[in-house]
Amino acid sequence: PVWAIGTGKVATCAQAQEAHHDIRSYLSKEVSQDVAEAIRIIYGGSVTGASCGELGAQPDVDGFLVGGASLKPEFIDIINVKK
């Protein structure tokens, strides 16, 4: 997708939630509800200190795969968003 790591583009919260929900629904149907609830699904698009709060508030976004933002001071904001 256009919001893959390194592009600097961030998915909308709705896009991220929809994709994560679809993954969780697939796991529930094809594996089990227990697995779907237990698995952590991380957002792998570009994330910044400014975008992490809204993205992290989505019910099916369990964390982030952080690229270049991990080298910036704002990384601490990303780390703390899911506390």
Side-chain angles (χ1 to χ4, degrees):
V2 296
W3 54 83
I5 286 179
T7 65
K9 298 178 193 250
V10 179
T12 66
C13 292
Q15 290 169 322
Q17 172 55 28
E18 179 182 11
H20 288 215
H21 174 76
D22 289 349
I23 293 167
R24 199 170 307 281
S25 293
Y26 173 83
L27 291 170
S28 179
K29 180 180 173 186
E30 298 297 327
V31 182
S32 76
Q33 182 65 33
D34 288 341
V35 168
E37 291 174 5
I39 199 158
R40 300 198 34 90
I41 304 171
I42 60 172
Y43 173 74
S46 291
V47 65
T48 65
S51 65
C52 66
E54 278 191 90
L55 285 167
Q58 302 308 304
D60 290 304
V61 176
D62 298 316
F64 307 107
L65 176 62
V66 183
S70 66
L71 303 174
K72 300 177 182 176
E74 68 185 306
F75 185 49
I76 197 74
D77 298 328
I78 299 169
I79 291 170
N80 290 327
V81 78
K82 292 301 278 190
K83 282 188 173 183

